[in-house]
Amino acid sequence: MHYDLGVTTGFQNGGNFVTADLPYAFIGNVRWNPPVMPFFVGVSGSSHRSISKDYRPYALGLYTALSLDRISYNFVHGSIQSEVTWARGFNENPPNDRITYFIPTSQAAWQSTINKSRSFGWYLLAQYDVTDALALVYKYDLFSPDARFTDDAFTRHSYGFRMALSGNVQFMARYERSISRRPGLVETDSQATRNAVLGMIHFYL
């Protein structure tokens, strides 16, 4: 059993609270990793103090990972990871300036109706190890700004691979297909609806 507990002050820009609007937060994490089982599970969360809101913003996440090697007695090599999250108070800017990645200014009327809504997210990552150096990867992301209306969710399917080029160099590439279920929200408006091809090289020192 592993656990963490933290407290943040929220100071930004020389101690100015206005931009972030979150003076302090309590953050906790608990993870259970039984040594005889092929998985671990955990829960993490945060509770924030807000200056402008009449409620406490929060976030809660449940996560797990499963070893395919251990569950198949090394017949299948790989892993599956997943996490679900719920949050409230992060659908507007400030404090979350990244919300414009999903909801552009042209959708101000929609955003005004979900500022206090509870959002929902789901993440799934599956990896199949072809060899010790090459792995195929599939990733699925879902974000619903209002958990009550999942028909307005953003989804992304990612397909790619990861290859070890040497002992301390790794190359990763993937194609991402992004979809918005919100009527009238197109690629020219929201970055979260755009398809992409990504490539990355990691150097480990």
Side-chain angles (χ1 to χ4, degrees), residues 17-18 35 39 51 68 72 77 80 87-89 95 106 118 123 126 128-129 142 150 156 186 189 197:
F17 287 137
V18 177
F39 65 86
I51 294 176
L68 299 180
S72 68
H77 303 289
I80 298 176
R88 190 184 184 205
S106 61
R118 181 168 56 93
Y123 161 84
Y128 173 67
D129 299 330
L142 179 146
T150 55
R156 178 183 293 128
V186 296
D189 295 329
V197 177

Side-chain angles (χ1 to χ4, degrees), residues 16-173:
N16 186 352
F17 287 137
V18 177
T19 300
D21 187 38
L22 301 175
Y24 62 83
F26 297 96
I27 304 170
N29 174 64
V30 177
R31 183 174 69 249
W32 180 52
N33 186 10
V36 297
M37 301 298 290
F39 65 86
F40 69 77
V41 294
V43 56
S44 62
S46 62
S47 178
H48 304 258
R49 166 73 168 88
S50 173
I51 294 176
S52 63
K53 298 176 176 56
D54 56 359
Y55 61 91
R56 295 185 69 96
Y58 71 87
L60 176 66
L62 303 176
Y63 60 91
T64 185
L66 174 67
S67 170
L68 299 180
D69 300 70
R70 295 181 63 182
I71 200 173
S72 68
Y73 297 96
N74 289 320
F75 181 75
V76 178
H77 303 289
S79 63
I80 298 176
Q81 304 174 40
S82 185
E83 181 176 6
V84 293
T85 59
W86 299 265
R88 190 184 184 205
F90 298 94
N91 276 349
E92 56 182 324
N93 177 27
N96 182 17
D97 58 355
R98 294 294 294 168
I99 194 63
T100 55
Y101 177 83
F102 296 91
I103 305 175
T105 55
S106 61
Q107 295 286 325
W110 174 36
Q111 182 167 358
S112 66
T113 66
I114 61 174
N115 282 340
K116 295 185 178 181
S117 299
R118 181 168 56 93
S119 60
F120 171 76
W122 178 36
Y123 161 84
L124 174 71
L125 176 66
Q127 175 177 306
Y128 173 67
D129 299 330
V130 181
T131 67
D132 291 339
L134 175 64
L136 303 180
V137 179
Y138 168 76
K139 186 166 70 76
Y140 175 79
D141 300 278
L142 179 146
F143 171 62
S144 178
D146 191 328
R148 299 170 302 173
F149 303 102
T150 55
D151 286 345
D152 290 337
F154 298 85
T155 60
R156 178 183 293 128
H157 298 270
S158 303
Y159 314 87
F161 68 91
R162 183 166 55 245
M163 176 180 293
L165 303 180
S166 67
N168 64 336
V169 180
Q170 180 177 265
F171 175 72
M172 180 202 71

